Amino acid sequence: MIRSSERISSIPFSSIREIFEEANKIEKSGIEITHMEIGRPDFDTPQHIKDAAIAALQQGHVHYTSNSGTIEFREAIAEKLKRDNGITVNPADEIVVTVGCKEAIFNLIFAFVNPGDEVIIPDPSWLEYQYIVKLAGGVPVAVPILEENNFILNPYDVEKNITNRTKLLLINSPHNPTGAVLPKETVSELAKLAIKHDLLVVSDEIYEKIIYDQEKHISIATMPGMFERTVTVNGFAKAYAMDGWRLGYAAGPAELVKPILKVHQYNTSSATSFAQFGGAEAYRGPQSFVEEMVESFDERRRFLVQSLSQMPGVTCVEPKGAFYVFPSFKETGIPSNELAGILLREALIACVPGSAFGEYGEGYIRMAYSTSLEKIEEAMTRMYPVMQNLMQRSTLSK
Ligand code: PMP
């Protein structure tokens, strides 16, 4: 019998996909489900971005590009990093364009993590981080982020988990799945820790533009002494509704970007040629689309937080960024994967159990509000009696 490698058999399939498939099965029987499980905007890519990619195709940009990405695109990224983030990089050798932000993270982990090296990852977090680290032979070290702290990573907890094997600290703000945004003081404290313990920092900033209530996104690379030890990763999936384009990048000092480029050469060679022209247009063209999308997300966010907070058995921290709420269902005493099943079958809402994001996600559910306000309103109307019922049952059994 032919078996997959031990490396790959120790890693599960993504549980988000499992829920998506179960929801699809229900839908095939003619019942409509509200999809709140998949993390992507429900908007179309803006037309001017599509036009730029179409024009590139028609002009014959159909071949491999430089491994690092076209120089025009890298220049557009460097301009954006300077303008929006205050990060100065040389487009010649301090940026590598990748197939999605995910490829940037994958390449980075493979470029820097030796077997046994420890990587500090907030828990809960986007599930891919820990599995990529495991695939590379590294050891993910979970640092809990807690509801009572509004899911803000606590530098003190990070420091407690640093050992002489710690190589890398991974941060993500705004954060998936909690929507937490790291305040400047926290970013500054984390930077001091990274310098003190000589850590490489990966800052996943893919949700930077989806931010509410005058919160400010801070790039850790701009903190004193941090540029030389930080790789900033980002992509176009969220801010420009370009998830299917598969476009992202890693940026940082040339010494850190070079090994990432090496992995990228053996992985995908280059991102899709004409998609890169769309990416350059996204950064250089009008930004009104992003503002309108964020306004719409904000309206849904407010409605959802309010509805969930009024539901029996639920508490909900107000997220400050991204497009997820991460309510607690701990009061129900039901494990989150069971609860996600109940919400799917009884309230016809597909969402992700918090346990899929790490041990400390247990008791929570991630709901993406990348679906219309009207659908969210209907979903909340269906959910209320389900929660009422669950709480009645749990009181009766006590
Ligand atoms: N980082 C985070 C935190 C994400 O949530 C996602 C997508 N869900 C990605 C990276 C991957 O982005 P991309 O689609 O550009 O690979």
Side-chain angles (χ1 to χ4, degrees):
M1 194 173 111
I2 299 169
R3 288 206 178 92
S4 59
S5 67
E6 281 165 26
R7 197 186 309 117
I8 205 71
S9 36
S10 67
I11 308 276
F13 268 107
S14 161
S15 56
I16 298 188
R17 288 282 148 193
E18 279 165 28
I19 290 152
F20 190 59
E21 277 156 26
E22 203 183 329
N24 277 346
K25 263 189 220 151
I26 299 179
E27 277 179 325
K28 284 221 172 87
S29 68
I31 298 167
E32 202 186 318
I33 297 282
T34 306
H35 286 278
M36 299 183 83
E37 78 280 37
I38 294 213
R40 64 162 174 78
D42 53 321
F43 294 81
D44 194 2
T45 305
Q47 191 59 42
H48 65 101
I49 298 177
K50 289 185 184 174
D51 288 342
I54 293 166
L57 254 182
Q58 279 170 345
Q59 285 158 14
H61 292 287
V62 295
H63 300 294
Y64 299 127
T65 69
S66 149
N67 289 134
S68 302
T70 70
I71 186 64
E72 294 79 10
F73 187 27
R74 280 180 277 142
E75 280 165 359
I77 295 170
E79 285 163 20
K80 179 265 174 204
L81 285 169
K82 178 103 195 111
R83 181 182 66 230
D84 295 354
N85 308 93
I87 301 172
T88 307
V89 284
N90 183 348
D93 57 1
E94 297 191 318
I95 295 172
V96 51
V97 173
T98 51
V99 181
C101 177
K102 190 184 275 191
E103 200 221 344
I105 297 165
F106 189 98
N107 294 351
L108 182 140
I109 302 283
F110 273 75
F112 289 100
V113 173
N114 281 314
D117 280 353
E118 293 174 4
V119 178
I120 292 190
I121 304 174
D123 183 345
S125 261
W126 188 46
L127 22 139
E128 270 79 346
Y129 298 140
Q130 58 166 303
Y131 294 131
I132 298 173
V133 169
K134 280 188 183 159
L135 278 177
V139 181
V141 175
V143 174
I145 49 175
L146 305 173
E147 184 181 356
E148 50 265 38
N149 196 20
N150 289 329
F151 298 115
I152 305 283
L153 181 64
N154 183 341
Y156 174 75
D157 293 336
V158 172
E159 187 155 37
K160 274 197 309 201
N161 281 281
I162 294 174
T163 72
N164 57 6
R165 294 300 321 242
T166 311
K167 177 79 180 261
L168 206 149
L169 165 67
L170 209 154
I171 58 171
N172 169 223
S173 177
H175 181 252
N176 175 10
T178 65
V181 173
L182 293 181
K184 191 170 182 184
E185 311 77 68
T186 307
V187 176
S188 168
E189 287 302 311
L190 291 170
K192 284 182 198 149
L193 277 184
I195 293 167
K196 181 172 160 197
H197 297 278
D198 193 23
L199 305 181
L200 167 63
V201 175
V202 184
S203 181
D204 180 347
E205 307 192 355
I206 196 155
Y207 294 100
E208 65 166 331
K209 290 191 185 286
I210 305 174
I211 196 159
Y212 315 103
D213 298 341
Q214 275 90 48
E215 285 282 329
K216 274 225 159 353
H217 167 72
I218 310 286
S219 294
I220 196 165
T222 60
M223 292 284 157
M226 283 306 289
F227 178 72
E228 53 265 43
R229 59 177 66 253
T230 305
V231 177
T232 304
V233 295
N234 208 328
F236 296 79
K238 318 292 175 184
Y240 301 95
M242 291 170 70
D243 41 288
W245 292 58
R246 311 306 304 124
L247 208 53
Y249 56 90
E255 314 81 76
L256 298 182
V257 166
K258 224 184 203 170
I260 299 174
L261 176 63
K262 208 191 237 182
V263 183
H264 175 68
Q265 283 183 344
Y266 291 108
N267 191 356
T268 54
S269 295
S270 68
T272 304
S273 55
F274 46 90
Q276 296 185 44
F277 287 77
E281 175 59 25
Y283 276 174
R284 285 185 165 150
Q287 301 295 308
S288 53
F289 164 82
V290 187
E291 286 158 31
E292 283 158 26
M293 182 177 68
V294 173
E295 249 172 58
S296 175
F297 281 149
D298 193 13
E299 198 183 1
R300 302 169 190 180
R301 173 186 74 116
R302 286 167 194 273
F303 174 78
L304 250 181
V305 171
Q306 201 197 13
S307 311
L308 288 166
S309 305
Q310 284 166 358
M311 268 188 217
V314 185
T315 59
C316 187
V317 168
E318 186 177 63
K320 296 291 183 188
F323 39 68
Y324 310 105
V325 278
F326 202 59
S328 164
F329 292 77
K330 285 184 179 169
E331 242 184 272
T332 65
I334 303 173
S336 61
N337 62 343
E338 248 177 69
L339 200 85
I342 295 173
L343 291 178
L344 180 58
R345 288 183 298 273
E346 298 183 21
L348 305 176
I349 303 170
C351 44
V352 187
S355 53
F357 300 95
E359 192 188 332
Y360 291 88
E362 181 52 85
Y364 299 86
I365 294 276
R366 189 191 78 174
M367 299 173 125
Y369 44 93
S370 49
T371 187
S372 73
L373 183 60
E374 194 190 349
K375 285 201 171 143
I376 294 172
E377 282 168 352
E378 287 166 10
M380 290 301 103
T381 310
R382 292 195 302 270
M383 186 171 158
Y384 192 91
V386 174
M387 291 312 302
Q388 219 170 15
N389 209 336
L390 278 182
M391 286 311 285
Q392 265 162 11
R393 267 188 266 165
S394 91
T395 339
L396 286 178
S397 66
K398 271 180 191 157

